[in-house]
Amino acid sequence: MQDPETTHSSLKTVEWKDNKVIMIDQTKLPNKLEYVEFSDYNDVANAIRTLIVRGAPAIGVSGAFGLALAALQSNAKTKNDLLSDLEKARTILFETRPTAINLKWGLDKIMQIAKIGETVDQIKDSVIETSKKLADEDVQTNMTMGKHGSELFENNDTIMTHCNAGALATVAYGTALGVIRATKDSGKSIKVIATETRPVQQGSRLTAFELKHDGIDVSLIADTAVGYSMSKGLVDKVVVGADRILRTGHVFNKIGTYQVATMAKKHGIPFYVAAPLSSFDMKNNPEDVVIEQRKASEVTGIGDRRTAPEGINVINPAFDMTPPELISGIITEKGIAKPPLEESIKKFFQ
Ligand code: MRU
């Protein structure tokens, strides 16, 4: 296993240390690289809710760590009491953010393990060990995905990305940005165009920070400059992450992804999605997926500065859905799903 510390980004978004959860406080970036530590699962739930930690795989692992803290916090003397404490914590963690399926995935993995244990001590140990294992596996998965994805990119490509699907959205290395890292490491020269990603600006605050931190050539554009950049031939390919991918190949990701994909189609630019199998939801249909609606103040201002009149009505969905016909391929740790996506995805789960 490759040590995450030696992977290219030195940013470790979330980790377990001395029975505490340590996270980069992403609300402070890019101005301050600050770490916060939690020993109460309620604080982890709050960190997910308030975007201290964000990005689907990072949320999945944080949820698992949250349950590990809940196990440590529990005074239960019997297996049943411990399981009921964990179930209560699971509900609180699960209700923080509805769209990224990875949160459910991480919580379910831990609950399954907890149910197998026989004694209170055994359950506590296995819950902690499993959550640490999920974190380590996330980095390995991203690196494997990166290797597969790097084959799609050529020397001198300029790659557009939206939101932040990087080290900061995972435990380390990243999904879409992991593919970009692996492409660069394979010896190809590449440039990145990052969209600002209003309203919370994961592109300018996080992707621009992360790529600059790691010495990758990145230019920032306003979201409104996507069409301009593509029409001027400035973009060769697009790669983004995902919060949830359905068996049909519909991709839920940061608001604005659908616009980028539509523009890419219009200009004949390949549009790729990079996501681990833990981001796939093989059960639900598009209409079943809850799109998180966030507070109006994200749209009525930038940071602390108000940019809209008091009392204005706001619509603020955090995610949108890109249909399969706009997607050229989905990069996973098992390989690349090519159209027809439904058939290719099915093979990954057989
Ligand atoms: O609201 P966020 O910042 O959690 O949204 C993140 C995204 O939409 C990412 O693109 C997605 O989670 C993939 S991260 C590898």
Side-chain angles (χ1 to χ4, degrees):
M1 250 198 185
Q2 229 169 318
D3 179 0
E5 297 297 336
T6 64
T7 58
H8 284 79
S9 178
S10 50
L11 297 169
K12 194 83 186 284
T13 302
V14 51
E15 70 182 311
W16 181 268
K17 220 179 206 170
D18 304 328
N19 287 344
K20 290 195 178 89
V21 180
I22 321 277
M23 288 175 185
I24 293 177
D25 182 349
Q26 300 194 34
T27 62
K28 302 272 166 61
L29 289 170
N31 301 319
K32 283 187 199 146
L33 180 55
E34 258 181 33
Y35 291 80
V36 280
E37 56 175 54
F38 302 121
S39 42
D40 184 332
Y41 74 84
N42 290 293
D43 293 334
V44 172
N46 194 45
I48 298 173
R49 211 175 288 120
T50 58
L51 308 187
I52 286 175
V53 65
R54 34 64 53 199
I59 295 175
V61 171
S62 299
F65 281 156
L67 281 182
L69 287 182
L72 282 177
Q73 284 172 260
S74 171
N75 293 320
K77 300 277 178 281
T78 64
K79 172 176 173 171
N80 276 350
D81 286 353
L82 177 54
L83 288 182
S84 107
D85 283 347
L86 287 176
E87 203 51 65
K88 192 177 137 217
R90 184 200 182 276
T91 306
I92 289 171
L93 289 157
F94 179 68
E95 284 171 352
T96 52
R97 296 196 76 190
T99 310
I101 191 83
N102 306 60
L103 180 56
K104 180 179 182 310
W105 172 88
L107 295 171
D108 286 354
K109 287 259 178 206
I110 299 297
M111 291 308 292
Q112 276 160 17
I113 288 292
K115 284 175 190 153
I116 295 169
E118 279 170 13
T119 67
V120 166
D121 286 345
Q122 231 179 47
I123 296 173
K124 288 189 177 188
D125 284 350
S126 63
V127 161
I128 293 170
E129 283 317 306
T130 306
S131 65
K132 283 159 64 178
K133 199 165 145 245
L134 292 185
D136 290 344
E137 282 173 2
D138 178 69
V139 187
Q140 301 303 320
T141 299
N142 292 339
M143 295 184 78
T144 309
M145 205 186 314
K147 273 209 183 92
H148 291 309
S150 65
E151 289 162 22
L152 297 167
F153 299 91
E154 280 150 45
N155 197 30
N156 296 324
D157 268 354
T158 298
I159 306 165
M160 180 177 279
T161 190
H162 183 63
C163 191
N164 173 269
L168 289 165
T170 59
V171 173
Y173 204 70
T175 57
L177 299 192
V179 170
I180 287 172
R181 287 194 166 90
T183 303
K184 186 174 178 243
D185 290 348
S186 71
K188 294 172 196 160
S189 169
I190 42 133
K191 289 185 177 164
V192 177
I193 292 182
T195 57
E196 189 180 21
T197 319
R198 274 284 286 154
V200 184
Q201 290 173 286
Q202 289 92 336
S204 59
R205 291 189 307 107
L206 309 177
T207 295
F209 167 81
E210 176 179 332
L211 294 181
K212 204 161 168 282
H213 179 271
D214 286 0
I216 296 176
D217 185 323
V218 55
S219 301
L220 182 65
I221 58 164
D223 297 321
T224 39
V226 168
Y228 169 91
S229 308
M230 290 185 176
S231 70
K232 292 285 178 192
L234 303 180
V235 183
D236 296 301
K237 278 148 201 159
V238 180
V239 63
V240 299
D243 284 83
R244 192 187 290 229
I245 302 175
L246 305 188
R247 66 179 182 286
T248 47
H250 289 81
V251 169
F252 290 80
N253 191 47
K254 178 53 54 199
I255 193 73
T257 303
Y258 175 43
Q259 285 172 200
V260 177
T262 305
M263 272 290 155
K265 186 77 167 179
K266 159 98 184 144
H267 293 284
I269 297 169
F271 179 92
Y272 297 109
V273 177
L277 295 190
S278 55
S279 298
F280 284 75
D281 172 356
M282 298 297 282
K283 278 200 198 126
N284 285 303
N285 295 311
E287 60 278 14
D288 303 323
V289 179
V290 176
I291 302 263
E292 178 182 2
Q293 304 290 322
R294 294 189 61 86
K295 56 186 183 195
S297 59
E298 290 179 351
V299 180
T300 55
I302 299 178
D304 293 337
R305 194 166 68 87
R306 198 170 173 99
T307 56
E310 294 287 347
I312 189 75
N313 288 330
V314 169
I315 302 167
N316 186 18
F319 302 97
D320 60 23
M321 184 186 80
T322 299
E325 59 271 21
L326 300 182
I327 299 169
S328 314
I330 302 180
I331 306 157
T332 74
E333 68 271 35
K334 281 216 175 171
I336 301 164
K338 294 264 177 70
L341 291 178
E342 185 156 6
E343 266 174 45
S344 312
I345 291 171
K346 202 169 161 190
K347 286 191 192 130
F348 290 151
F349 288 88
Q350 266 162 5

